Each structure stands twice: as structure tokens, then as C-alpha cells.
Amino acid sequence: MIVSLTEKANPEQVRQKLVARGLWIDTVLRDAAGNVRQFSIAPYSSAATADEVAAIEGVASVTTSRSDHPLVDRQGPVVNVAGVTLGEGAPAWMCGPCSVESEDQVKRSAATLGALGVAFLRGGAFKPRTSPYAFQGHGRVALGWMRKAADAAGMRVVTEALSETDVEAVAEHADMMQVGSRNMHNYALLKAIGATKKPVLLKRGMAATVEEWLLAGEYLLASGAASVVFCERGIRSFDDATRNLLDLGAVALLAHVYRAPVIVDPSHGTGRRDLLLPLGRAALAAGAAGLMIETHDSPGEAKSDGPQAVLLDQIGALLRGLAPRPEGGPR
Ligand code: PEP
Ligand code: MN
């Protein structure tokens, strides 16, 4: 149950009345100025009916839902992220290197991508690598490189906060905070990212069910995230013919049944640049609001994920193949 307060309500008085009726307040939702605007009541504390709660002075409305993720349900399929509409109109592109390798690299990437109409520059400053000996990212300094490159090209920045200690720096530089697949279940991190009140790109855990993924989105919204966009990036399967199994059924489920904004990352989903065109098309047909695609100007020398990176001078042709103009494709 979500209890929304009137403009003039005294939140503490409303809270006391809810508690006096035996209700358990799970989460307190605040507006950007820090004022309490809503209480969320635990679904298992059913001591009072919605009508009884609605009658309490200071309560504007009561929303009941049998879903465990009412905020995700209420968000709807269309969100605005830093002036870019996702989930309506032309697909949104999020492109750039797997890792931010140098200032020059992101500058060149953003110049090419921005000119093609790519809205978001992606790239990892903090990299979640399977091996501790693999390149871990340049860290904070790379965030500044990305911001500068994106601003010069008229792009937005989406980048991953790998741990709670990175959250503040990432929030300072990024338009959209990325939660990586390995961190989808890191609830302390989700809360810290939500508290920045930024829009979030939430990658699906590689072994996460759709319900777990939606609940991770609920954590973000409940802790203050401006919006949550779900990103399907492939799940583990028995077959290693492709790097992961790109679950387009889950994409259709999110887009058409849960009506949630969803982006597909066929780069990590397949691990192969030669499958990006067919799977990217399939993802858009399944209801994806856009695609995340890794690029590199010399994939053979990439510090991470070279085999799946599209050459920077071939990304334009790929994007035109994915969504030819005039339906809203890239220039
Ligand atoms: C990434 O997009 O940079 C990344 C590390 O992907 P994932 O978390 O999906 O593995
Ligand atoms: Mn990568």
C-alpha cells in the first residue's frame, strides 16, 4: 500500500496514526527537497483497509497493489533521462567503449557517436572484471574524461558505479547511473545509488529471475531514483555458443506485460559483433526502447571485450541497419 500525503500534511502525525492502526511502515519516500511525500506500508501488515487509511487527515490518496513492485508498476514504460525520452519514438542508442582507456579514446568515440545522433556515451571507469589481474579501469579520472567528451559532443553519460565508495563521484559526472549485472543483487549499493536521485540503468543479474530484477528496480525507486530503465544483457545458460543467452522473452515481458522501459545490450548478450544486427533488430521488435552497443576504434587492442566491439567507423552503418530513417534512425 502506498500512502500519498497532501501538501499540508504533517508527516509525523500521519505516521503516528498509521502505526496506531497496527500498520508497518516499510519505506518513507521523500521528494527532491527531502520532504516526506509518501509512506509505503508492508504488504503483510493488513490491519487496516485502504478506505480506513484514506480517511486519515493528511492522506491524499492510497494505492493498493498486489504486486511486490508497485513503484516499478507505476513508473510506466516512458521515462525522460536528461532530456532524452526512452520508451517512445525513435530508439535510444547507448554506445562507447567497454572500458574508458584514455582521454583521447573517449574524445574520438564521442565525436563519432555524437555526430551519428547517439544520445548516450557509455564506458566503464570502474570495471567489474572476472580476473583480479585484468584491467580494472582508470577510476575517477576517467569519469572526468567521459564528461568532457560527452559535453563536447552533446551526449549524455551512462557509466557504472561498481561500489558504494564510487557512488558520489559517478553521480557527479554521469547523467545516468549504471548498475552492473554482478551488482544487481547488491542491495546496499542499490540503496546508495537510489539516494542520489539520478536515473538508473539497471542491468539484469546474469542468473537473476525477472521478478528479482523488477524487485531490484523497486529498491532503486523506493530509495529515491528518478527513474529505472531495465537492461537485458544476457543470462547464463548451458550453452557457450554465445557469451550469454540474450533473453528476448524477458524483454517482451517487461515491455508489453509489466510496461517497464527496457534497453537491450546485445554486445554482452552475445559476445560477438557479427550478431549485433540480427539480435538488435529482434530486441527492438520485442519492445526494447533502445540498445547499448560497445564500440572501439581498434578492437584487437581493447583492454576489455574486444571481440564484441564494433569498429567506430562501422557503427553508423550498424545503427542505420537497425533503425533506418525516416522511422527515427541515426543520421
Ligand atoms: C558494462 O556494460 O560495462 C558491463 C560490465 O556489463 P555487465 O554488467 O552487463 O557485465
Ligand atoms: Mn564490456
Side-chain angles (χ1 to χ4, degrees):
M1 193 187 291
I2 304 283
V3 180
S4 301
L5 306 188
T6 59
E7 285 294 322
K8 292 192 184 128
N10 177 328
E12 182 50 27
Q13 276 175 13
V14 177
R15 193 190 68 79
Q16 283 173 13
K17 286 181 181 160
L18 293 170
V19 171
R21 280 167 174 75
L23 295 164
W24 293 11
I25 293 168
D26 236 16
T27 314
V28 174
L29 301 158
R30 296 173 187 275
D31 64 17
N35 303 310
V36 175
R37 299 304 315 141
Q38 292 178 328
F39 292 109
S40 141
I41 310 286
Y44 40 82
S45 74
S46 52
T49 65
D51 286 346
E52 285 166 348
V53 174
I56 294 173
E57 192 186 335
V59 171
S61 64
V62 175
T63 310
T64 51
S65 166
R66 278 194 289 159
S67 159
D68 286 339
H69 35 76
L71 300 177
V72 170
D73 299 345
R74 206 173 52 180
Q75 176 179 245
V78 180
V79 294
N80 186 292
V81 177
V84 179
T85 303
L86 297 178
E88 198 176 64
W93 312 119
M94 302 180 172
C95 304
C98 177
S99 304
V100 176
E101 298 175 6
S102 70
E103 179 163 23
D104 195 46
Q105 178 215 31
V106 274
K107 244 194 205 160
R108 278 181 279 121
S109 304
T112 302
L113 297 168
L116 290 168
V118 174
F120 290 86
L121 178 65
R122 63 140 289 138
F126 301 95
K127 293 303 302 176
R129 303 305 301 281
T130 304
S131 165
Y133 307 116
F135 179 60
Q136 304 285 305
H138 286 297
R140 281 171 182 250
V141 67
L143 295 172
W145 298 340
M146 275 190 101
R147 183 72 264 168
K148 237 170 96 183
D151 285 346
M155 298 176 77
R156 285 86 180 158
V157 170
V158 54
T159 192
E160 177 168 355
L162 187 57
S163 81
E164 284 172 74
T165 52
D166 313 330
V167 167
E168 209 182 307
V170 173
E172 222 174 86
H173 293 87
D175 299 294
M176 188 177 212
M177 314 275 289
Q178 182 170 324
V179 176
S181 180
R182 290 154 188 81
N183 265 322
M184 191 210 84
H185 293 285
N186 183 343
Y187 302 117
L189 179 65
L190 298 180
K191 287 182 185 176
I193 288 179
T196 67
K197 308 202 187 302
K198 290 261 180 177
V200 182
L201 184 73
L202 175 62
K203 289 204 147 190
R204 180 180 183 182
M206 59 186 80
T209 64
V210 167
E211 188 67 12
E212 288 166 339
W213 191 18
L214 291 165
L215 285 168
E218 188 74 12
Y219 259 100
L220 288 162
L221 291 173
S223 45
S227 54
V228 172
V229 175
F230 295 84
C231 179
E232 165 62 35
R233 48 78 72 204
I235 51 176
R236 280 274 165 90
S237 88
F238 59 87
D239 192 350
D240 61 3
T242 54
R243 182 177 177 181
N244 287 294
L245 180 71
L246 190 65
D247 186 0
L248 295 183
V251 174
L253 191 63
L254 253 68
H256 298 291
V257 178
Y258 291 102
R259 299 187 54 70
V262 53
I263 291 282
V264 171
D265 170 358
S267 300
H268 292 92
T270 65
R272 300 173 58 122
R273 71 176 68 87
D274 56 352
L275 296 180
L276 298 177
L277 181 64
L279 276 168
R281 283 179 172 164
L284 295 172
L291 301 176
M292 174 172 263
I293 295 175
E294 287 187 345
T295 60
H296 202 282
D297 48 11
S298 179
E301 293 168 279
K303 289 189 191 290
S304 56
D305 287 351
Q308 69 197 32
V310 182
L311 265 168
L312 209 46
D313 57 18
Q314 289 175 5
I315 184 72
L318 175 64
L319 297 182
R320 282 188 290 273
L322 286 165
R325 299 190 93 191
E327 294 97 73
R331 292 189 279 276

